Amino acid sequence: MPPSADTAATGAPAPAAPDAGPGGSDGGLRLSSLTKRYANGFTAVHDLDLDVPRGSFIALLGPSGCGKTTTLRMVAGLEVPTSGRITLAGQDITDRRAHQRPVNTVFQNYALFPHLDIYENVAFGLRRRKVRDVESKVRAMLELVELDSQARKRPAQLSGGQQQRVALARALINEPEVLLLDEPLGALDLKLRRSMQIEIKRIQVEVGLTFMHVTHDQEEAMTMADTVAVMNGGVIEQLGAPAELYENPRSTFVANFLGQSNLIEGRVLSRSADVTTLDMHGITVSVPTARTHTDGDRGWIGIRPEKVLIGEEGADLDAPGNTVPGGVVSDVSFVGVSTQYLVRMPWGQELQVFSQNTGRTRMFTVGEKVELSWRPEYAFCLDINQDAAAGVDDGETR
Amino acid sequence: MAPEDQAPARRSTLSRRGLLRGGGAVAAAGLSVAALKLPFFSVAGAAQDPATCRATDLSERERRLVISNWTGYIDPRRNPRGTYNTFQDTTGITVEYNDDVNDNAEFYAKVRNQLGSCEPIDRDMIVLTDWMAARMIGLGWIQPLERERVPRLHENLIDSLRGKAWDPDRTYSAPWQSGLTGIAYNAAYVDEVGSFSELLTRSDLKGRITLLTEMRDTMGFMLKVVGAEPEDFTEDEWYDAIDALNRAVSDGQLRQFAGNNYLQQLANGDIVACEAWSGDVIQAQYDNPDIKFVVPEEGLSLWSDNMLVPNLATHQANAEAWIDYYYEPEVAARLAAWVNYICPVEGAREAMEQVDASLVDNPLIFPDEEFLADTWDFMPLDDRQSQQYEGDWSDATVG
Amino acid sequence: MTQAAQAVPETATLAAEPSGSRRRRGRTGYLLMLPATLWLLLFFVVPFYSLVATSLFDASGSDFRGYEMTYAWGNYVDVVEAYWQPFLRSLWYAALATGICLVLGYVLAYAIAFKAGRWKWLLLVLVIAPFFTSFLVRTLSWQLILSDEGFVVDALQFLRVLGPDDRLLATPVAVVAGLAYNFLPFMVLPLFASLDKIDPRLVEASSDLYAHPFVGFWKVTWPLSLPGVVSGTLLTFIPAAGDYINAEFLGSTNQRVIGNVIQGQFIDANNSPVAAALSVLLMVLIVAMVLVYVRRAGTEELL
Ligand SMILES: Nc1ncnc2c1ncn2[C@@H]1O[C@H](COP(=O)(O)OP(=O)(O)OP(=O)(O)O)[C@@H](O)[C@H]1O
Ligand SMILES: [Mg+2]
């Protein structure tokens, strides 16, 4: 495990949610040193720390099997943590049983009660807590999810998207402190998923509850959440606002899992307050110190493909920056809005370049000699001890 | 004798009423009902005339014989020198022996549709108890035996089994084995039970006795208890006896009406005394000497199981050869040594000296005159009486 | 869910199908039902018809004289008058045994379905293992278990549950216990089938929605297992009401049930009309009770 991962998780300041109450993170959900080891000895969640401010929307993002569901189940009370504590609104709820926690879950498979109609499914939590005025609350909730006309149907008579909204309504109606969503959209087709994402986000803004949303779809995480926690192997690799995670990944896993990255080995020449200067296969490049996440004398210099500019050999570049000559185009694929190149560098590595089809530059062909460059402020530098390919496959399978 | 030959396989292991009576009875009932005439019309009587309802005897050409007898009622057929194989060897007749009679009434239910409409039951000989034999003879379902082909029957049949009202000259029937109905008790638990009225009243027996499910056995004793004669009683006496029985039932004196494994319950102490068949008791005594047979003060009921040739049997002569064979004293002694019931053959006692001397003086196998002086027989019932009394009996034992 | 995707080709084929093939499909349905219909006709309708006919014969008939069809509906009245006690006893014993089976069977099926883990199938085999021996032998072995000198009675006497002179054999307790034992698998198997189908996540969902485990059981597990409860109770009650082996072997003369009466009338008393009237009555009674029960339980609505 990269030593930086845990510190990243706890050290990163949680970005303010749109309408975080004055209580700040104290009113929210806090997981401290949470560990889950299953009976078979497998550690699914390892010493996990997480702070979720009240009213925020956090997405847990990570490859299959990284412990997302396990984490949610511990918060819901369906799984007993091996160690660590869970606090909610300042109260330790670690030892409370599931039915005693002000937490509701939208299950991965909805888990709607097949013997109850939609109305009774939604009313279930209210009835258990003997809340008054069930009728009007359920009606209002069904209206919110636009299912008022289906109230007397059984779950099996609804479409997948409708069932999903019932599951959401059934949990939301209880106005829990935290709403847990475990890949609720996983089974939907793309179009329905997009509209449901928007709907869930709208509802969250409307009701102002804390949402914890598990997904392994990075696009879903980035569009919906205020904060994204990237999980890998039972720990949180990095936590932050979507743009920050994308622009300034702290580990090779995050760099590869969220989008794509070129990672090139470099040796640190000097460090100053503002920039770190590195030698990249004989070329001197600079990376802002704030984006340098290694103390060693070597590091992975990272740059997103769309940040790399491609040009004629020796041509003037539009912007000053790190210039890397000597590339040869080895593959070209035209995808409409952009052209994606693979460029073989003198040291043998192939770099990815996405070039916007603005019409200002011409298209290059395979075998042409080209020069690459990028603005130093877009580059980042990662620990050389991390696997440069970490998260590559996971990121692409989405 | 090999040890495994000695122990079970005797009739009494399953007792006169077989274990499987229940299932068979239900199947038979279902079938017989299904075979009733379909439209809502009446059903004719089942009586037949044996003179017209008979088949050509194929005995000369087909040297075979099909028998239905009670379970465990013959010496081991595997024994090459047993009575069964000796018969086959000396006569050349192949005997297909079925031990498929578990219960008189059940067997009746099985065959009544065929015999009642003059159809063959594919048996040349069946073995049934007196009253059922009487009923079938009365219905005309049984063929008369050729007197000259069964000379030993008429020579050797013991006197006490002659002159029965339902077949005075043994024209239709030949006793296979006889037995006595009396009282058995377990001496490990109670003192001797000397009479039937004691059985029904003694307080230390309360809830720990059984009576037999055979109406004529039990009601014979009940009639005696109320001072009537089973051989000749009036309807009033009958209802006195039924009332006495009902009292015993409602008092809880009686635990059950039993037809099977009552001796097992007697042996393990669930019951301490019961009405019992003599052969069963002798069998049980081998394992548990505490079990005793008593000749009750009321006397003993003497019955026999009779070989009968049903209508449309195709091997009557072979069946008669079988009867005559088993009335040889020597053969009868070998059979009696095994089944332990009363041997109906005169002279078998002398022959028994050679077979098993220890049984010669057993009065339950060879009862002497004195012993038999007190035996009685149940009055023959006509059709209406038997229907009425059997209904009463069924209600008393079941309702 | 891919419902939308599936819906398209399905409607397409339906629309494209000429109406004739649908008719052909209907005929195939009837053809497939033919063997079962013939079977039922032969082995249910015909015997039942003749059973009803027999029950209407003049009850004073006999094999000797024959039976006269007098449409003697009075047989039914006589039969009810004479035998209402064993009738009630049958239903009462069957109901008790069914209740005991339901409680024991539910706990057992629940444990097998949810708690047995990898022992599940072994336990199921053990549940049906008694079927490998004959019904009669099993019932007879209960005679030994409940025997006055047996360890059960000894133990209960030691615990003062039974007095020194009390017994189990030849009491209603033994009959009901025998019934419950013999028909328990008929209860456990449908219950297990129902419980095993229940998604454990539904139970989790209920506790997530503030239901105490007991409430969750009552509101989720129990209603979802109702099909099993209904079929289990029917499969237990119906044969138990008609059973007479347990009463015969484990009961005393005072525990005789309607099955004993029917057998006695058919076999011993040789009184077919009375026996047939009793059989028809028992059948009608059970069918009526089942119909009412199924209506009340509302099984049609379940899933
Ligand atoms: N009951 C269990 N016993 C043992 N191991 C388990 C158990 N439940 C889950 N695991 C393991 O723990 C790991 C994390 O499981 P979890 O369900 O939390 O993954 P996830 O991140 O939700 O994955 P997915 O995206 O596929 O849903 C997996 O490797 C899984 O195999
Ligand atoms: Mg999961």
Side-chain angles (χ1 to χ4, degrees):
Chain A
M1 278 305 110
S4 61
D6 280 351
T7 42
T10 42
D19 49 1
S25 63
D26 275 348
L29 173 72
R30 167 175 281 164
L31 314 181
S32 3
S33 314
L34 206 58
T35 298
K36 176 66 193 182
R37 193 175 302 112
Y38 281 113
N40 62 2
F42 181 82
T43 306
V45 173
H46 185 78
D47 200 20
L48 182 135
D49 291 298
L50 183 63
D51 242 326
V52 186
R54 177 179 233 147
S56 68
F57 193 130
I58 184 171
L60 283 186
L61 178 65
S64 189
C66 71
K68 306 181 295 289
T69 298
T70 305
T71 307
L72 276 203
R73 288 172 59 82
M74 286 192 285
V75 175
L78 300 173
E79 209 78 69
V80 181
T82 312
S83 65
R85 310 305 298 174
I86 302 169
T87 26
L88 181 57
Q91 281 186 306
D92 189 332
I93 59 164
T94 319
D95 299 322
R96 282 206 218 162
R97 303 178 66 183
H99 66 276
Q100 298 162 326
R101 300 188 186 197
V103 173
N104 290 111
T105 309
V106 178
F107 288 88
Q108 197 156 1
N109 62 335
Y110 315 148
L112 299 179
F113 303 123
H115 58 298
L116 302 177
D117 62 19
I118 303 313
Y119 183 97
E120 286 303 324
N121 263 281
V122 174
F124 194 91
L126 297 182
R127 294 207 194 283
R128 296 294 82 72
R129 289 183 304 153
K130 314 248 185 299
V131 170
R132 281 194 218 168
D133 218 7
V134 172
E135 169 84 26
S136 66
K137 287 202 167 91
V138 172
R139 290 283 163 208
M141 183 49 68
L142 286 176
E143 225 159 275
L144 181 71
V145 295
E146 293 165 7
L147 283 173
D148 25 349
S149 59
Q150 318 282 337
R152 289 302 165 194
K153 284 190 181 170
R154 291 284 169 91
Q157 296 167 297
L158 298 189
S159 75
Q162 289 170 326
Q163 291 183 21
Q164 198 280 324
R165 283 181 296 185
V166 177
L168 191 62
R170 185 179 71 172
L172 265 182
I173 196 167
N174 303 297
E175 298 175 17
E177 291 285 334
V178 181
L179 184 75
L180 306 172
L181 301 104
D182 190 357
E183 291 192 55
L185 309 179
L188 305 185
D189 64 60
L190 193 66
K191 219 174 127 195
L192 195 53
R193 192 169 351 160
R194 287 283 168 266
S195 66
M196 284 309 302
Q197 285 171 3
I198 294 166
E199 200 157 347
I200 290 176
K201 183 68 194 172
R202 174 180 66 80
I203 291 170
Q204 193 259 340
V205 171
E206 218 168 298
V207 299
L209 299 175
T210 310
F211 274 40
M212 195 164 175
H213 183 114
V214 158
T215 177
H216 53 223
D217 177 347
Q218 51 158 298
E219 225 172 294
E220 186 172 302
M222 304 231 269
T223 51
M224 296 174 79
D226 315 318
T227 313
V228 174
V230 178
M231 278 188 82
N232 185 29
V235 299
I236 292 181
E237 290 255 344
Q238 191 175 351
L239 178 88
E244 190 204 323
L245 284 187
Y246 186 80
E247 295 299 344
N248 188 6
R250 287 157 185 267
S251 67
T252 56
F253 178 84
V254 176
N256 290 322
F257 189 74
L258 285 184
Q260 284 154 294
S261 294
N262 294 303
L263 296 176
I264 311 153
E265 192 176 343
R267 193 162 47 80
V268 176
L269 295 176
S270 69
R271 290 170 186 270
S272 74
D274 296 335
V275 291
T276 307
T277 314
L278 299 100
D279 170 63
M280 185 179 82
H281 299 284
I283 303 154
T284 304
V285 295
S286 54
V287 176
T289 300
R291 298 165 66 91
T292 305
H293 306 296
T294 177
D295 297 334
D297 55 356
R298 291 191 305 148
W300 293 111
I301 298 156
I303 185 76
R304 299 282 187 185
E306 74 276 10
K307 300 294 190 329
V308 182
L309 300 175
I310 186 166
E312 314 269 353
E313 201 170 22
D316 271 352
L317 296 168
D318 329 1
N322 300 320
T323 305
V324 192
V328 178
V329 176
S330 59
D331 187 63
V332 182
S333 44
F334 177 74
V335 291
V337 292
S338 67
T339 308
Q340 305 187 350
Y341 296 100
L342 278 182
V343 179
R344 182 171 297 283
M345 302 314 292
W347 58 89
Q349 190 179 4
E350 279 186 327
L351 299 186
Q352 292 192 56
V353 181
F354 297 166
S355 172
Q356 287 291 314
N357 286 335
T358 54
R360 288 176 60 196
T361 51
R362 71 174 181 87
M363 276 183 58
F364 297 90
T365 55
V366 173
E368 269 191 276
K369 295 204 161 179
V370 291
E371 212 169 84
L372 303 182
S373 65
W374 58 79
R375 285 171 169 269
E377 60 265 38
Y378 291 144
F380 48 89
C381 183
L382 304 174
D383 189 342
I384 195 74
N385 294 319
Q386 293 177 4
D387 179 7
V392 170
D393 290 338
D394 299 322
E396 279 170 0
T397 49
R398 78 195 122 101
Chain B
M1 245 185 285
E4 68 262 33
D5 284 345
Q6 263 170 357
R10 306 190 190 194
R11 174 176 165 178
S12 64
T13 50
L14 276 181
S15 175
R16 299 188 71 215
R17 240 167 232 252
L19 214 52
L20 293 173
R21 171 182 178 177
V26 170
L31 278 181
S32 65
V33 169
L36 288 174
K37 298 254 158 37
L38 251 194
F40 275 13
F41 294 136
S42 310
V43 175
Q48 297 293 332
D49 179 3
T52 53
C53 184
R54 62 191 312 242
T56 325
D57 195 340
L58 305 176
S59 294
E60 289 302 317
R61 270 191 290 128
E62 289 179 9
R63 303 299 289 163
R64 53 191 284 264
L65 172 62
V66 187
I67 297 180
S68 276
N69 201 347
W70 297 69
T71 310
Y73 217 14
I74 191 170
D75 56 316
R77 280 177 286 142
R78 276 167 302 143
N79 180 359
R81 284 190 311 279
T83 59
Y84 170 82
N85 280 315
T86 310
F87 175 77
Q88 297 197 109
D89 294 344
T90 52
T91 59
I93 295 170
T94 310
V95 182
E96 205 180 293
Y97 184 98
N98 308 286
D99 41 11
D100 56 356
V101 183
N102 288 310
D103 178 87
N104 286 305
E106 183 209 316
F107 192 82
Y108 174 83
K110 255 193 237 175
V111 299
R112 93 169 176 197
N113 286 309
Q114 287 101 313
L115 288 179
S117 48
C118 191
E119 282 162 22
I121 58 167
D122 302 326
R123 296 283 186 274
D124 299 311
M125 176 183 285
I126 56 182
V127 180
L128 295 169
T129 309
D130 296 330
W131 64 273
M132 183 53 75
R135 177 193 284 182
M136 287 193 174
I137 292 168
L139 283 164
W141 292 358
I142 304 301
Q143 292 291 319
L145 303 169
E146 287 288 351
R147 218 181 154 81
E148 56 273 24
R149 285 207 289 248
V150 286
R152 291 199 192 98
L153 165 65
H154 296 290
E155 252 164 61
N156 295 344
L157 181 66
I158 55 175
D159 283 343
S160 49
L161 293 179
R162 291 177 191 258
K164 297 281 172 189
W166 49 273
D167 189 14
D169 298 325
R170 291 288 172 191
T171 314
Y172 295 91
S173 63
W176 169 254
Q177 295 287 287
S178 285
L180 294 165
T181 308
I183 292 175
Y185 70 97
N186 190 329
Y189 294 97
V190 284
D191 297 336
E192 183 177 310
V193 181
S195 72
F196 227 75
S197 41
E198 222 179 285
L199 188 68
L200 293 178
T201 50
R202 239 166 73 176
S203 60
D204 62 328
L205 309 180
K206 183 164 180 166
R208 306 183 79 185
I209 67 163
T210 61
L211 298 180
L212 290 168
T213 44
E214 284 283 347
M215 173 183 97
R216 283 160 182 81
D217 285 332
T218 302
M219 286 313 291
F221 280 110
M222 294 311 300
L223 284 160
K224 283 274 191 185
V225 167
V226 298
E229 278 308 315
E231 316 221 78
D232 185 18
F233 57 89
T234 66
E235 192 168 319
D236 286 345
E237 288 171 333
W238 166 263
Y239 282 108
D240 282 350
I242 284 281
D243 288 344
L245 182 65
N246 281 334
R247 264 197 307 282
V249 168
S250 55
D251 286 354
Q253 178 77 5
L254 178 64
R255 186 176 189 129
Q256 252 179 343
F257 286 95
N260 50 54
N261 74 334
Y262 60 96
L263 278 172
Q264 186 195 329
Q265 295 193 51
L266 182 65
N268 70 24
D270 282 346
I271 59 172
V272 293
C274 59
E275 185 185 1
W277 287 308
S278 58
D280 288 357
V281 176
I282 297 178
Q283 291 296 329
Q285 281 172 339
Y286 286 124
D287 297 329
N288 188 341
D290 285 333
I291 292 181
K292 309 282 189 214
F293 187 80
V294 183
V295 179
E297 280 164 24
E298 289 85 358
L300 289 164
S301 145
L302 176 67
W303 46 264
S304 40
D305 290 329
N306 305 279
M307 298 181 268
L308 307 166
V309 176
N311 286 353
L312 297 177
T314 48
H315 308 97
Q316 175 163 351
N318 292 347
E320 286 156 343
W322 170 274
I323 292 173
D324 208 48
Y325 169 74
Y326 275 96
Y327 271 82
E328 281 176 35
E330 211 274 39
V331 176
R334 274 155 67 198
L335 178 63
W338 184 264
V339 296
N340 296 153
Y341 272 93
I342 291 175
C343 180
V345 179
E346 201 72 65
R349 184 171 185 177
E350 291 68 35
M352 186 62 100
E353 305 268 5
Q354 311 300 315
V355 181
D356 184 347
S358 72
L359 298 176
V360 171
D361 293 323
N362 190 330
L364 293 181
I365 294 175
F366 299 108
D368 49 31
E369 285 308 313
E370 193 188 342
F371 198 82
L372 289 179
D374 261 351
T375 62
W376 39 260
D377 209 10
F378 202 82
M379 174 173 100
L381 302 177
D382 69 26
D383 178 46
R384 283 182 198 280
Q385 280 173 320
S386 87
Q387 189 174 31
Q388 178 186 348
Y389 292 169
E390 276 159 12
D392 296 336
W393 168 251
S394 175
D395 287 349
T397 55
V398 165
Chain C
M1 242 150 266
T2 49
Q3 259 165 348
Q6 279 170 352
V8 175
E10 203 169 299
T11 40
T13 46
L14 268 184
E17 213 167 21
S19 61
S21 94
R22 226 184 265 185
R23 210 172 303 136
R24 216 175 305 130
R25 205 191 288 161
R27 213 176 301 150
T28 317
Y30 288 123
L31 268 177
L32 288 173
M33 277 160 56
L34 194 65
T37 312
L38 284 180
W39 181 267
L40 265 183
L41 216 67
L42 204 61
F43 291 103
F44 179 72
V45 177
V46 173
F48 185 69
Y49 177 80
S50 99
L51 195 66
V52 173
T54 308
S55 72
L56 298 176
F57 286 156
D58 177 7
S60 69
S62 76
D63 283 358
F64 200 80
R65 280 167 277 128
Y67 294 96
E68 218 180 319
M69 169 53 77
T70 55
Y71 298 93
W73 293 102
N75 284 351
Y76 284 89
V77 181
D78 296 346
V79 153
V80 170
E81 256 170 19
Y83 303 112
W84 60 271
Q85 269 181 320
F87 244 117
L88 282 189
R89 205 178 283 141
S90 283
L91 299 178
W92 173 233
Y93 286 174
L96 276 178
T98 306
I100 292 171
C101 279
L102 183 59
V103 174
L104 294 180
Y106 204 100
V107 174
L108 185 58
Y110 188 92
I112 295 177
F114 294 123
K115 309 286 176 196
R118 62 206 175 92
W119 301 108
K120 202 181 203 170
W121 301 109
L122 178 70
L123 286 173
L124 268 189
V125 169
L126 288 181
V127 166
I128 53 172
F131 284 139
F132 299 149
T133 57
S134 118
F135 186 79
L136 277 159
V137 172
R138 276 183 282 147
T139 310
L140 280 173
S141 65
W142 270 76
Q143 264 189 355
L144 291 180
I145 295 172
L146 299 181
S147 153
D148 293 11
E149 311 294 320
F151 68 95
V152 176
V153 171
D154 284 351
L156 290 176
Q157 282 174 345
F158 179 77
L159 295 172
R160 311 275 156 149
V161 179
L162 287 181
D165 286 332
D166 289 346
R167 60 175 197 230
L168 284 179
L169 209 56
T171 65
V173 176
V175 178
V176 173
L179 286 172
Y181 158 76
N182 273 313
F183 296 108
L184 187 62
F186 292 117
M187 182 65 90
V188 174
L189 292 182
L191 278 177
F192 169 79
S194 264
L195 285 168
D196 196 46
K197 267 198 311 205
I198 297 179
D199 188 341
R201 287 173 294 196
L202 293 177
V203 180
E204 291 187 347
S206 79
S207 67
D208 186 66
L209 291 165
Y210 314 104
H212 186 274
F214 289 130
V215 181
F217 170 81
W218 191 241
K219 292 289 173 187
V220 176
T221 312
W222 173 257
L224 286 175
S225 67
L226 269 186
V229 172
V230 171
S231 48
T233 44
L234 289 182
L235 283 178
T236 310
F237 181 82
I238 295 173
D243 180 81
Y244 59 91
I245 301 289
N246 285 283
E248 174 149 340
F249 288 142
L250 305 177
S252 80
T253 321
N254 295 322
Q255 276 90 47
R256 292 310 176 93
V257 293
I258 198 65
N260 301 115
V261 177
I262 294 178
Q263 151 160 344
Q265 289 295 329
F266 248 127
I267 303 294
D268 295 326
N270 213 356
N271 194 337
S272 316
V274 165
L278 283 169
S279 304
V280 172
L281 213 57
L282 180 65
M283 205 185 285
V284 169
L285 209 66
I286 288 180
V287 168
M289 289 173 70
V290 166
L291 284 182
V292 170
Y293 175 64
V294 171
R295 269 280 167 78
R296 291 282 304 274
T299 28
E300 321 92 291
E301 274 212 22
L302 284 166
L303 298 180

